[in-house]
Amino acid sequence: MRIAKSLTLPLIMAGLTTPAFAVEQGETYVGGGLGMINYEEDGVADAEPTALIGRLGYGVADNVAIEGRLGFGLTDDEVTIRGVDVDVEVDQVAGAYVVGYLPVADPFSVYGLAGLTYGELSANAFGLSFDEDDTDFSYGLGATVGLNESVSGYAEWVQYFDESSYETSALTIGANYHF
């Protein structure tokens, strides 16, 4: 028991100094994931459609990347507004971000991102469609794990839109291929 206690601190310190899976300067990656969107509007039930979100990134420095994203809706969500069933769907989402990685321990890293997002959402009721688009500052946090030398998995939360009357965020799980 005494040996286990004396080894605990050195093992923790070794884990903190081990290189983790993060982006290196000059590295390119492509990937995508399934986003579970949460659309909240004042006075309306929350809608939770899903979207497929692709990404392409480039390491501009060690642990710093620029990233572009493009996505489209997979499924819609039906909400009731004043007794009327309304289908809510993500038509498209596109954005550009700066992503900063913090290596934690091999093969894990956490990251933060900030940038601009354009999105288009549609609502359908009584055979009529209403489209709304917007552009906003976006930010988020995530974690990545190296699955092998070329593939990493990730999970993240991103606040895509945060306006006075509504907000849109997403939890996304996916994978990247690094080359």
Side-chain angles (χ1 to χ4, degrees):
M1 191 64 130
R2 184 174 196 127
I3 293 173
K5 286 184 180 179
S6 64
L7 288 176
T8 304
L9 183 59
L11 288 174
I12 291 171
M13 295 306 293
L16 292 176
T17 60
T18 304
F21 197 90
V23 173
E24 296 177 3
Q25 184 173 0
E27 179 181 331
T28 301
Y29 60 93
V30 62
L34 176 65
M36 291 139 296
I37 310 297
N38 184 32
Y39 175 81
E40 299 177 25
E41 185 173 343
D42 296 342
V44 176
D46 292 359
E48 297 178 342
T50 61
L52 184 62
I53 302 172
R55 51 171 49 179
L56 174 64
Y58 178 76
V60 294
D62 286 348
N63 301 322
V64 179
I66 54 172
E67 186 175 290
R69 296 184 180 189
L70 185 60
F72 58 90
L74 287 178
T75 64
D76 59 1
D77 188 24
E78 186 175 284
V79 296
T80 302
I81 302 172
R82 296 187 181 123
V84 176
D85 292 335
V86 178
D87 291 324
V88 178
E89 180 179 11
V90 174
D91 292 326
Q92 62 182 323
V93 61
Y97 312 92
V98 173
V99 185
Y101 291 85
L102 176 62
V104 178
D106 191 29
F108 300 99
S109 292
V110 293
Y111 62 89
L113 65 92
L116 290 174
T117 301
Y118 166 81
E120 187 174 317
L121 191 74
S122 63
N124 301 297
F126 301 118
L128 300 173
S129 180
F130 304 94
D131 295 328
E132 194 67 39
D133 63 4
D134 202 353
T135 303
D136 200 6
F137 173 76
S138 303
Y139 55 91
L141 298 170
T144 186
V145 61
L147 303 174
N148 62 39
E149 289 183 15
S150 300
V151 179
S152 65
Y154 68 89
E156 69 179 18
W157 170 85
V158 176
Q159 181 74 48
Y160 284 113
F161 300 97
D162 191 2
E163 301 293 334
S164 60
S165 63
Y166 75 93
E167 61 182 57
T168 304
S169 61
L171 288 173
T172 304
I173 298 172
N176 294 323
Y177 179 77
H178 302 256
F179 49 97

